[in-house]
Amino acid sequence: MKKLVSVLLAVMMLLCTVAAVAEGVPGVWYLNTISASGAAMNPGDLGMEMSFDLKEDGTGAATVMGESADCSWAEADGKVTVTIGDSVQEFTVDGDTLVMEEEGTSLIFTHEPPAAAFVPAEKVSTDDITAFNGTWTMCKMGFGGMYIDLATADPAELKDMFGEDMTMVIDNGNVTMMGNDDGAYELKDGELTKTVSVGDETMTYGIQLLADGMARCELMGIELFFVK
């Protein structure tokens, strides 16, 4: 009798474990955060979109950048394995998240969609050069339509990239960029501009005021965003 009771208790515990797994894993999982080099980034800001719709029967669908494909999944030992064709991805169950590690980068999935992607505000043209005056602090950077919120970045990484000073100081067209005297800009077409010659090439830098109160500085295809 004691042996039978022990077996029944073991079976009940196993069933409870399976029920807990089945209740927690099925559902729609969205790529919510990308963690790399100490920074937590919104995938939308990087032009990325990914989700998994995992069904209770072990089937599902994976959607990447708007393209969907059937998948299957299984759970064991705190890991969830998702198979899409010949591709197998392993996730670690961490509370209410699924985490996939990929070459030092963590892709964190939750049942909540990520925040809306950053979209730069419209340029505000002005004929008042003093409207640019003040000390501005860099808050975001972008390249090729991808943006990084510097508030989430590792301070050590930022220091290596930009140095100690991440400000832009403007005084009637005279610009000090990150502690370096950048000289005088002129007000043209509602923004501050400066043209420089590098070898045989001529490049124009621009500083714009945006409708959300930010300032944007464009340097060789890189966008730097500042707030006062």
Side-chain angles (χ1 to χ4, degrees), residues 50-121:
M50 185 184 302
S51 66
F52 294 96
D53 185 1
L54 305 182
K55 306 297 186 182
E56 292 186 4
D57 63 358
T59 64
T63 302
V64 180
M65 307 299 291
E67 298 292 330
S68 296
D70 292 336
C71 69
S72 61
W73 68 275
E75 193 278 346
D77 301 325
K79 304 284 186 181
V80 172
T81 301
V82 177
T83 303
I84 310 170
D86 296 330
S87 175
V88 179
Q89 302 292 341
E90 184 177 83
F91 301 80
T92 300
V93 180
D94 185 4
D96 57 357
T97 67
L98 295 181
V99 182
M100 180 172 67
E101 302 289 343
E102 189 72 31
E103 297 182 354
T105 298
S106 297
L107 305 183
I108 302 171
F109 291 76
T110 72
H111 288 303
E112 296 295 327
F118 172 72
V119 178

Side-chain angles (χ1 to χ4, degrees), residues 14 49 123 133 143 146:
L14 177 61
E49 181 184 2
K123 169 188 169 182
N133 287 356
F143 179 78
M146 298 184 292

Side-chain angles (χ1 to χ4, degrees), residues 173-185:
N174 296 299
V175 178
T176 301
M177 184 71 71
M178 301 179 205
N180 300 307
D181 184 2
D182 207 28
Y185 284 58

Side-chain angles (χ1 to χ4, degrees), residues 140-213:
K140 291 180 183 288
M141 65 179 297
F143 179 78
M146 298 184 292
Y147 299 95
I148 297 177
D149 186 347
L150 300 184
T152 70
D154 183 346
E157 294 277 347
L158 293 179
K159 182 179 179 180
D160 288 342
M161 187 178 299
F162 300 109
E164 295 280 1
D165 193 338
M166 292 177 57
T167 64
M168 174 177 66
V169 181
I170 304 177
D171 181 17
N172 295 331
N174 296 299
V175 178
T176 301
M177 184 71 71
M178 301 179 205
N180 300 307
D181 184 2
D182 207 28
Y185 284 58
E186 66 173 325
L187 185 61
K188 182 179 180 181
D189 297 328
E191 63 184 81
L192 294 180
T193 64
K194 180 181 181 180
T195 301
V196 297
S197 297
V198 180
D200 296 331
E201 295 186 9
T202 299
M203 296 183 294
T204 299
Y205 301 155
I207 301 174
Q208 306 169 344
L209 298 179
L210 305 182
D212 59 1

